Amino acid sequence: MIDILISGICGHMGRNVLELVLADSDTECVGGVDLKAGEIQGVPVYDNFSDAPQADAVIDFSCADNLGNVLAYAERTGAAVILAATGYTKEQLAQIEEAAARVPLFKTANLSVGINLLQKLVKEAAAFLGESFDIEIVERHHNLKKDAPSGTAYMLAESANAAFDGAKEYVYGREGMVGARKKAEIGIHAVRGGTIVGEHEVMFAGDDEIITLAHSARSKRVFAAGAVKAAKFMQGKPAGRYDMQDVLKDFKG
């Protein structure tokens, strides 16, 4: 049995994680941490990590400002860390890399198994197709999303760019007389509207043919499922930095 602590348990994603943990015969939620102590679905909620019980893994769906508390708990208890919050600063990203030298730490731009499979396929396609195909990325999200382009769009762009040793330049949207498209470009475009959970499309456009690789998330539950899968994967892992590509190597469906 894998004991899991959920940081941000009272939020929308935290509740999704809790439901999946409770339904999984291999996992148990020993508690949660949120702004206000109490109880949710019979699980105790603490307002600080000092009172939180020992766990094998902590899944953090709170916020970037909580990073220090999450890492301190992991270093104190030896729990594996699954970071699912967003909006980390450059300083915090450096802090994450430093902490990975001391604790097993999982972080990815997108917890969806499907998106991470897409990332792998994009990298392979870019390497195979080479300079003969232009690469354009379109991401679509709900009208409340504040950042653009999405972190996942950047992740996909980086995967494609790896085939060119990072030589491609990212161009964000186009307006006016921009001239003919340069070969050294990867176009990245953001669409915002309605309640779109998340859609990402990578188009490889060549002479007289187009190849499109795409993923559509129909609910945020896929991200919660990815977090639980990551927590199970991290059991017994030594200190180090892990991501969903590591999970995919062992993925059996």
Side-chain angles (χ1 to χ4, degrees):
M1 184 68 68
I2 301 170
D3 292 336
I4 295 176
L5 179 72
I6 304 173
S7 174
I9 193 171
C10 295
H12 178 67
M13 290 307 303
R15 289 171 182 267
N16 273 305
V17 172
L18 176 59
E19 289 181 7
L20 292 173
V21 170
L22 293 177
D24 193 319
S25 60
D26 295 327
T27 60
E28 181 177 353
C29 184
V30 296
V33 179
D34 217 301
L35 294 176
K36 187 176 180 180
E39 186 178 287
I40 178 172
Q41 294 191 46
V43 174
V45 179
Y46 307 89
D47 58 9
N48 65 83
F49 280 91
S50 298
D51 296 333
Q54 173 74 45
D56 297 314
V58 52
I59 297 176
D60 179 37
F61 263 110
S62 58
C63 64
D65 290 342
N66 203 29
L67 176 65
N69 296 323
V70 175
L71 295 180
Y73 171 84
E75 294 197 39
R76 174 170 58 84
T77 64
V81 182
I82 292 82
L83 293 178
T86 59
Y88 294 116
T89 64
K90 290 183 179 180
E91 292 75 15
Q92 287 176 316
L93 291 175
Q95 185 181 0
I96 289 169
E97 296 302 325
E98 291 172 4
R102 300 183 294 275
V103 299
L105 191 150
F106 183 100
K107 183 182 180 303
T108 183
N110 192 305
L111 282 159
S112 161
V113 171
I115 275 289
N116 283 273
L117 177 58
L118 176 62
Q119 179 188 9
K120 182 178 180 181
L121 295 174
V122 165
K123 186 175 183 178
E124 292 177 355
F128 183 83
L129 298 172
E131 293 288 358
S132 59
F133 281 70
D134 298 323
I135 304 172
E136 296 284 310
I137 298 171
V138 179
E139 58 96 343
R140 306 174 184 89
H141 284 87
H142 53 86
N143 55 23
L144 297 178
K145 186 171 177 60
K146 296 179 180 179
D147 60 314
S150 67
T152 300
Y154 280 117
M155 181 177 77
L156 294 171
E158 290 289 292
S159 297
N161 208 1
F164 307 98
D165 297 322
K168 295 287 187 180
E169 174 189 1
Y170 301 151
V171 175
Y172 306 99
R174 297 184 179 87
E175 180 182 9
M177 295 296 292
V178 297
R181 188 188 193 281
K182 300 180 180 67
K183 274 294 180 184
E185 292 182 3
I186 292 180
I188 306 177
H189 313 274
V191 177
R192 297 289 176 267
T195 58
I196 302 171
V197 174
E199 297 180 356
H200 293 83
E201 177 183 298
V202 183
M203 180 183 72
F204 295 87
D207 292 340
D208 304 319
E209 60 179 336
I210 296 173
I211 300 169
T212 302
L213 300 174
H215 175 270
S216 177
R218 301 307 172 91
S219 84
K220 291 185 177 181
R221 195 175 179 85
V222 298
F223 310 125
V228 175
K229 189 178 294 293
K232 296 168 74 171
F233 168 81
M234 291 294 282
Q235 293 315 291
K237 295 294 188 294
R241 175 81 152 74
Y242 302 85
D243 60 26
M244 194 59 79
Q245 293 302 313
D246 297 307
V247 177
L248 283 178
K249 295 174 184 176
D250 294 342
F251 184 57
K252 298 294 189 299

